[in-house]
Amino acid sequence: MQYCFVIPCYNHDIVIKETVASLCEFNFPIILVNDGSQDSTREILENVANEFSLVTLIHRTENGGKGAAMQTALTAAIEMKMTHALQVDADGQHDLLDIQRFITEAAKAPQSLISGQPVYDDSISKGRFYGRYITHFWVGVETLSFKVIDSMCGFRVYPLAAYEKLIQNTSLGNRMDFDIEVMVKLIWQGVPVKFVETKVHYPEFGISHFHAFKDNVIISKMHTRLFFGMLLRFPKILMQKWKKN
């Protein structure tokens, strides 16, 4: 198993150096994608890449969204002959002390998507906390299973062979809909999902690029597509569940 880290970054520069330094302890390649950040952030990212030899920095000329940056990073990981990519956000909300647990679970189930199951502290807003349950409900409908504990956590390990197969047959969202859509479609493809509890903290200095109206509209349209996609795949999904049981 060949692991790498992938980090999408858009104007997150406050803790990125500390994040990369912590990841270097694992001695895995680190793919850092600058998603059209401002010049000051670009300069910081270039300094980080120059300081840490494990970092491969990819610049996107225009901001395409978290999903677009993730797709750029995962494509680069595949080209580097990696087998698994561990996604970490750049804003410091993930507990990097849990990385070894993710790696351990991936080693036990190399064909599975290993995803974080967030344990929130008081830093999460009520709107963000309760809003997630709407998506959790629809993901349960779209996958015909309420065993998907969380579909929005951006702390996860992708089995790249399964991801490469997926993108040959479908398109994925370019913004905040990516994390949800890729999980649902991997489940449709028959990829098992395992969850790892992990603490999530939203730093006071954190910058959120989630736009309440715009991104909720995008996510709502995505759920509409996935719902009708589920109806078309209904017999296949039931057959997968029957074989599994």
Side-chain angles (χ1 to χ4, degrees):
M1 297 174 68
Q2 299 293 322
Y3 294 96
C4 68
F5 293 107
V6 294
I7 311 175
C9 183
Y10 176 57
N11 292 335
H12 287 119
D13 54 28
I14 297 176
V15 297
I16 189 63
K17 181 177 179 179
E18 291 78 3
T19 298
V20 168
S22 296
L23 299 181
C24 283
E25 295 179 9
F26 293 89
N27 202 33
F28 299 153
I30 301 170
I31 301 172
L32 181 58
V33 176
N34 170 27
D35 188 27
S37 298
Q38 60 194 7
D39 290 343
S40 59
T41 301
R42 180 188 177 104
E43 182 178 353
I44 289 172
L45 297 181
E46 289 178 344
N47 290 338
V48 168
N50 289 332
E51 182 174 350
F52 299 98
S53 60
L54 290 172
V55 174
T56 296
L57 176 60
I58 301 173
H59 292 291
R60 291 176 53 87
T61 56
E62 296 181 358
N63 175 246
K66 180 182 180 181
M70 275 301 302
Q71 291 177 67
T72 296
L74 293 174
T75 297
I78 292 169
E79 291 174 350
M80 292 170 62
K81 307 301 181 183
M82 298 292 107
T83 62
H84 293 77
L86 203 161
Q87 175 185 352
V88 178
D89 281 354
D91 57 3
Q93 65 175 270
H94 295 151
D95 188 350
L96 303 184
L97 296 176
D98 288 334
I99 287 176
Q100 187 56 57
R101 296 173 58 215
F102 280 79
I103 294 171
T104 299
E105 289 301 316
K108 292 178 182 177
Q111 297 180 350
S112 298
L113 173 65
I114 312 298
S115 186
Q117 177 184 340
V119 178
Y120 297 107
D121 59 18
D122 294 337
S123 64
I124 187 172
S125 66
K126 296 298 182 184
R128 189 192 293 260
F129 181 79
Y130 291 111
R132 298 174 77 92
Y133 284 95
I134 299 174
T135 277
H136 299 343
F137 168 79
W138 281 112
V139 168
V141 172
E142 292 149 8
T143 59
L144 300 181
S145 171
F146 287 96
K147 294 182 180 180
V148 180
I149 302 172
D150 188 280
S151 61
M152 301 182 74
C153 183
F155 196 11
R156 53 178 64 166
V157 182
Y158 287 95
L160 291 176
Y163 174 79
E164 184 176 19
K165 178 181 177 182
L166 179 69
I167 59 174
Q168 291 173 356
N169 302 303
T170 190
S171 60
L172 296 167
N174 286 331
R175 303 195 69 84
M176 296 297 184
D177 50 343
F178 173 82
D179 289 337
I180 307 165
E181 186 171 19
V182 70
M183 178 179 283
V184 170
K185 289 185 174 181
L186 283 172
I187 291 172
W188 285 353
Q189 189 172 282
V191 176
V193 180
K194 297 184 180 297
F195 292 92
V196 175
E197 285 193 354
T198 183
K199 294 179 181 179
V200 175
H201 174 76
Y202 292 94
E204 293 183 9
F205 53 77
I207 301 172
S208 174
H209 296 301
F210 187 90
H211 301 282
F213 179 77
K214 181 178 180 180
D215 283 316
N216 277 319
V217 168
I218 291 172
I219 290 173
S220 296
K221 290 180 178 179
M222 175 206 66
H223 282 307
T224 301
R225 294 194 306 271
L226 292 178
F227 175 75
F228 286 104
M230 178 274 293
L231 293 180
L232 292 173
R233 293 170 174 81
F234 189 80
K236 181 179 179 180
I237 296 173
L238 286 183
M239 182 61 68
Q240 287 176 343
K241 291 182 175 297
W242 179 79
K243 288 181 178 180
K244 183 178 180 180
N245 292 331

